[in-house]
Amino acid sequence: MDRKIAVIGFGSMGKMLYEKISASKIVDEKNFYLANRTFSKIEALSKDSGVNLCKTNAEAADAADIIFVCIRPAEMKTVLQEIAPVLNEKKHLISLNGSISFAQLETICRNIKISKVIPSVTAEVDESQTLVCHNPLVTEDDKETLYALLKTFGNVIELPENEMGMGSELVSCMPGFIASLFNEVKKAAQLHTKIPENQVVKMLADTLRGTARLITEKQMTFEQVCTRVATKGGITEEGTKVIEKNFPPVAQELFDKTLEKRRLTSEKAVQAFGDISSGKRKWNFDSSLELKTERLVLRPIRVGDEKAVHEYAGDPEITMMFWLPNDTFDDTVAFVKKNAAAWESPDQTNFEFVILYDGKIIGGCDCDLGYSEDHSYGTLGWILNKKYRKQGFASEAASAVVKFAFENLGIKRILAQCDSKNAASFGVMKKIGMKLINDKGTRTYPKTGITSGEFTCEIVKQV
């Protein structure tokens, strides 16, 4: 690999990244650029390895193609402001801090490819389950290169940004949870045996490893392992009954506490970056809300719209370049019910409108804040009944929803994406004033498995 790699921050995580990638030999030592607040911490490295040691963060970022930022949340804003002048659209910024959202990062690093990476302590034995998410500017080529680096110390799991929190509980925090749990098992076992402590630990750890292999290699579920071992009326069943009776509230409290702590940590990160119109908002829109244009009326979707909605949502000819279609009328009923109920929720994140022309539903248009972890930007979508194409209705409706979102939802940025072969949708984006920010994306349709190119466009609120 001929990419140049910067590692900013040489604490435990930055040091691990450098050592693992370096040991893999997929990046030449002369293509590493290291920077650390305390220079003496990295000063001895170049004598043996030939790695480039940088006196400033900006020097490292300027030299590199891929920039890993491995620092604490409190320092992130200062470091980003330092390196922002040397960033450009070709560089790929990697944040190893899960508490800071893309929306916050992008207030300083505008129009930059950004990914977030959360490794696990098990990277030390090349078994990390590393979480990643990306902003829309990151291409498939960028992902492939990043994943090659991350796979030098384990597996890679891609998630949407809004699932990174729970994902972290399951893989990044979990080694600590597991160790804590088995430490209690060890202590309880020692009350009943004279087996030496180190042997008890090894027996438990080896059994844990073997159980994991049953699940991953033999494709057994947790329930199947329990059934296999805990025979009816046997000794193991007595133990599993105790766990099934007493452990569920402990597991629930564990996630309640850790996710609440994560929320508070994210709030502190927001405060550190200042007000960027982020944070989860409360909505209370009247059910009679209407957006009126020269020819159209847009109103919230509601139960009773199913038949008209299914006429376009269930038509493969219309939806062949969308994540739809709804295969059955029941799919559409569920879709309408879910999005109608959202309008009644104070925590609504998707604002789904139907488009009416002469009193008839001819399509839909929505603005979804759910793709942003802190709900600080929206994603725009639209669809029309094929009888009403090529009449300017899509751009007229989309403009109305953009105006609604900027005026009512507190966001300053809206994205839209389309299949690169979908000239009609791309034309709508350009017509409503959106700018192309990534023409190298890809999308894979889940129902067909077909992969196609993807365009991402953006519109920013004018102040």
Side-chain angles (χ1 to χ4, degrees):
M1 183 184 297
D2 61 357
R3 303 295 178 90
K4 296 179 178 180
I5 312 295
V7 178
I8 296 176
F10 209 67
S12 59
M13 197 58 71
K15 186 171 183 287
M16 182 278 293
L17 270 173
Y18 163 69
E19 290 179 346
K20 290 294 183 179
I21 297 172
S22 173
S24 73
K25 304 298 184 184
I26 65 172
V27 177
D28 193 284
E29 287 293 318
K30 69 177 186 297
N31 287 334
F32 280 102
Y33 297 81
L34 307 184
N36 193 61
R37 183 175 58 181
T38 306
F39 186 75
S40 59
K41 195 170 182 179
I42 59 173
E43 200 166 9
L45 289 173
S46 64
K47 296 177 182 178
D48 303 321
S49 63
V51 65
N52 299 284
L53 305 184
C54 303
K55 291 292 183 68
T56 69
N57 298 323
E59 181 186 348
D62 189 31
D65 305 304
I66 300 171
I67 305 157
F68 288 95
V69 182
C70 315
I71 56 177
R72 294 177 296 180
E75 301 170 353
M76 182 67 83
K77 184 175 183 179
T78 300
V79 170
L80 292 181
Q81 288 171 332
E82 181 185 348
I83 68 175
V86 303
L87 299 180
N88 58 51
E89 69 279 0
K90 294 181 180 179
K91 295 181 183 289
H92 189 180
L93 184 70
I94 318 294
S95 169
L96 270 78
N97 195 293
S99 301
I100 299 177
S101 70
F102 286 134
Q104 292 168 295
L105 298 171
E106 289 165 356
T107 61
I108 298 172
C109 305
R110 292 280 297 154
N111 297 321
I112 301 297
K113 297 182 286 192
I114 307 176
S115 299
K116 294 200 295 183
V117 168
I118 303 177
S120 166
V121 67
T122 50
E124 293 183 15
V125 291
D126 298 334
E127 291 286 353
S128 179
Q129 307 304 307
T130 303
L131 303 180
V132 296
C133 62
H134 312 280
N135 78 352
L137 297 179
V138 177
T139 68
E140 291 302 310
D141 285 344
D142 296 323
K143 292 181 185 181
E144 184 177 342
T145 300
L146 175 60
Y147 294 171
L149 297 172
L150 299 180
K151 286 177 180 178
T152 60
F153 50 86
N155 299 322
V156 177
I157 303 167
E158 183 175 338
L159 294 176
E161 185 183 22
N162 62 356
E163 292 290 358
M164 291 287 277
M166 189 61 197
S168 295
E169 310 304 306
L170 294 172
V171 297
S172 183
C173 300
M174 193 56 67
F177 299 158
I178 292 171
S180 179
L181 176 63
F182 275 80
N183 191 46
E184 295 303 319
V185 172
K186 179 207 73 173
K187 288 190 288 186
Q190 286 180 292
L191 299 176
H192 303 278
T193 183
K194 293 183 179 180
I195 299 173
E197 180 179 356
N198 63 341
Q199 190 172 350
V200 172
V201 170
K202 188 174 188 306
M203 290 166 69
L204 289 172
D206 288 345
T207 301
L208 182 60
R209 183 187 301 112
T211 305
R213 290 186 63 189
L214 285 175
I215 293 166
T216 57
E217 296 177 21
K218 298 294 186 180
Q219 303 296 305
M220 295 177 70
T221 65
F222 293 119
E223 291 82 2
Q224 286 171 335
V225 175
C226 288
T227 301
R228 182 82 169 268
V229 183
T231 54
K232 194 73 173 174
I235 296 171
T236 306
E237 185 186 44
E238 289 301 310
T240 57
K241 284 179 180 178
V242 173
I243 294 171
E244 290 165 0
K245 178 182 177 181
N246 298 304
F247 192 68
V250 174
Q252 186 59 56
E253 184 179 5
L254 181 152
F255 288 121
D256 287 344
K257 294 287 188 182
T258 56
L259 290 171
E260 175 62 13
K261 181 67 174 180
R262 191 173 297 279
R263 184 187 67 80
L264 293 173
T265 301
S266 295
E267 286 183 359
K268 289 180 181 178
V270 170
Q271 293 168 4
F273 270 74
D275 181 14
I276 58 167
S277 297
S278 63
K280 300 198 175 183
R281 302 167 175 78
K282 301 294 183 181
W283 319 108
N284 188 25
F285 294 110
D286 191 278
S287 59
S288 62
L289 171 69
E290 288 186 343
L291 312 182
K292 295 184 178 180
T293 70
E294 183 178 351
R295 299 177 294 169
L296 306 173
V297 174
L298 285 79
R299 62 158 173 80
I301 195 170
R302 57 190 179 218
V303 174
D305 293 338
E306 295 85 358
K307 184 176 180 181
V309 170
H310 192 65
E311 191 171 337
Y312 54 83
D315 186 342
E317 182 183 336
I318 299 173
T319 60
M320 61 183 175
M321 293 185 182
F322 293 74
W323 297 114
L324 296 165
N326 293 337
D327 291 328
T328 68
F329 186 69
D330 285 343
D331 291 341
T332 299
V333 169
F335 170 81
V336 172
K337 183 177 180 181
K338 174 185 175 182
N339 286 283
W343 282 97
E344 305 298 323
S345 170
D347 299 315
Q348 179 181 7
T349 58
N350 188 36
F351 300 82
E352 182 79 31
F353 293 90
V354 289
I355 306 167
L356 291 91
Y357 175 63
D358 285 345
K360 177 180 173 60
I361 294 175
I362 65 168
C365 190
D366 79 311
C367 183
D368 191 347
L369 310 188
Y371 291 92
S372 164
E373 186 174 10
D374 58 2
H375 304 168
S376 58
Y377 68 84
T379 300
L380 184 70
W382 58 86
I383 185 171
L384 279 181
N385 188 310
K386 61 188 175 187
K387 299 174 186 175
Y388 297 89
R389 289 173 171 173
K390 299 182 180 180
Q391 299 179 56
F393 290 138
S395 56
E396 193 171 328
S399 291
V401 173
V402 167
K403 183 173 184 291
F404 163 81
F406 282 153
E407 292 180 354
N408 295 279
L409 304 185
I411 59 176
K412 298 178 181 178
R413 179 177 177 236
I414 296 174
L415 303 178
Q417 296 174 316
C418 71
D419 192 299
S420 58
K421 298 189 291 292
N422 191 343
S425 285
F426 186 50
V428 169
M429 295 178 195
K430 291 190 291 185
K431 188 172 181 180
I432 67 174
M434 303 190 93
K435 306 297 184 185
L436 180 65
I437 60 173
N438 184 11
D439 62 357
K440 300 188 187 312
T442 61
R443 56 168 60 187
T444 300
Y445 296 103
K447 292 185 179 180
T448 64
I450 295 173
T451 297
S452 185
E454 182 175 79
F455 290 162
T456 299
C457 292
E458 174 190 58
I459 187 168
V460 178
K461 183 178 182 180
Q462 299 300 308
V463 180

